[in-house]
Amino acid sequence: IAAVAAATAAMMPTRRSGRLSSIPADPPWRTPAALPVPCRHKPAAGSARNNYSHEKRPMQQTSDQLIRLICESLKLRIYAAATLECVRSITSLHRTTPNATVALGRSITATALMSATLKMNSEQSVTLKIEGSGPLKLIHVQADAKGNIRGYVGNPLIDQGHNIGGINFSRAIGAGFLTVRKDIGLREPYSGIIPLTYGDIAADLAFYLTSSEQIPSAVVIALTIDPDGTITSSCLLYTSPSPRDS
């Protein structure tokens, strides 16, 4: 997935910068990390990229980015995200142990994906919440359309008091539910909820998109850490039918 994200990024024009707004750092959120500010780009006429329409959101002061493409020839919508520095920033603020780091980091990346569906530079926001019977208890991440994201877990020190047996999200969260809440400016926010079926954030998110939002989806979220707990990679690849062909 890292190679795919890198190859996709290589197709894009030079990044632009923009202004970020911040979310108040009320506990237990602490200081938010910022997602990319949106920019629009068009491929040059006659280029090999004419089958693609795409937008790239570069992360201010980081190398993170979220890329959105529509491939007309394959009738696919594709999102690729690199979220390493964002995930490092948020998990370090909460001093998470490895199982909490992986769970929160992948949830941050998943919420970054969901924020790509919001109207850019609007007041819209999306919240991803995973609640379970396991020792991790809760994951809560919120992102807005202006490029801000924040999150926390119910038990950031899970590995100090429980023997999970390695990195295992299913054991850490237990049986529970995934809830997505979108505030898009209507009278009431939209909420969708599904039971945790696969014990994997990417698979359960894909199941939510397919069953609750009727968007057939494939999601891959990768996050790796060194034995000392240092996050070495964090990225995402998402595909679904192009909106015009759904």
Side-chain angles (χ1 to χ4, degrees):
I1 185 172
V4 172
T8 306
M11 297 168 52
M12 300 300 168
T14 303
R15 292 187 297 174
R16 299 178 184 175
S17 61
R19 187 179 299 276
L20 285 174
S21 58
S22 62
I23 299 175
D26 297 326
W29 297 105
R30 306 196 184 189
T31 305
L35 273 177
V37 168
C39 308
R40 293 182 177 271
H41 301 273
K42 291 184 178 180
S47 72
R49 294 170 294 171
N50 281 345
N51 283 335
Y52 296 86
S53 56
H54 52 292
E55 296 172 332
K56 183 178 181 181
R57 296 184 175 190
M59 177 92 67
Q60 284 296 298
Q61 300 178 346
T62 76
S63 60
D64 292 351
Q65 55 188 331
L66 173 63
I67 303 169
R68 310 192 296 182
L69 306 98
I70 292 179
C71 179
E72 296 178 356
S73 60
L74 297 178
K75 299 181 179 180
L76 287 177
R77 174 172 54 183
I78 304 167
Y79 295 166
T83 58
L84 176 60
E85 294 190 41
C86 181
V87 168
R88 280 178 173 173
S89 175
I90 295 177
T91 55
S92 66
L93 286 170
H94 293 284
R95 300 179 181 178
T96 52
T97 55
N99 268 287
T101 297
V102 171
L104 179 57
R106 289 177 178 170
S107 298
I108 289 167
T109 304
T111 309
L113 162 65
M114 300 298 292
S115 74
T117 66
L118 304 175
K119 183 178 180 180
M120 292 187 298
N121 291 321
S122 68
E123 299 299 323
Q124 296 179 1
S125 65
V126 61
T127 300
L128 177 73
K129 182 170 68 174
I130 302 175
E131 297 176 283
S133 59
L136 191 60
K137 300 179 182 178
L138 171 71
I139 309 169
H140 200 287
V141 184
Q142 183 185 53
D144 65 22
K146 296 181 179 179
N148 301 295
I149 191 165
R150 59 186 182 177
Y152 67 94
V153 291
N155 183 6
L157 304 179
I158 179 175
D159 294 289
Q160 293 184 3
H162 300 85
N163 182 12
I164 305 298
I167 302 299
N168 191 315
F169 174 74
S170 181
R171 290 183 182 177
I173 198 64
F177 296 89
L178 180 150
T179 303
V180 175
R181 181 179 182 271
K182 287 185 177 181
D183 186 349
I184 56 175
L186 302 178
R187 181 175 299 179
E188 295 291 337
Y190 166 81
S191 292
I193 183 170
I194 62 166
L196 295 175
T197 303
Y198 298 98
D200 176 82
I201 293 173
D204 283 314
L205 180 61
F207 179 67
Y208 163 81
L209 291 169
T210 302
S211 60
S212 294
E213 299 195 5
Q214 287 75 56
I215 304 173
S217 304
V219 182
V220 178
I221 300 174
L223 186 148
T224 57
I225 59 175
D226 280 343
D228 64 358
T230 302
I231 304 172
T232 55
S233 67
S234 179
C235 50
L236 170 147
L237 185 66
Y238 162 86
T239 63
S240 69
S242 172
R244 69 195 67 181
D245 299 301
S246 299

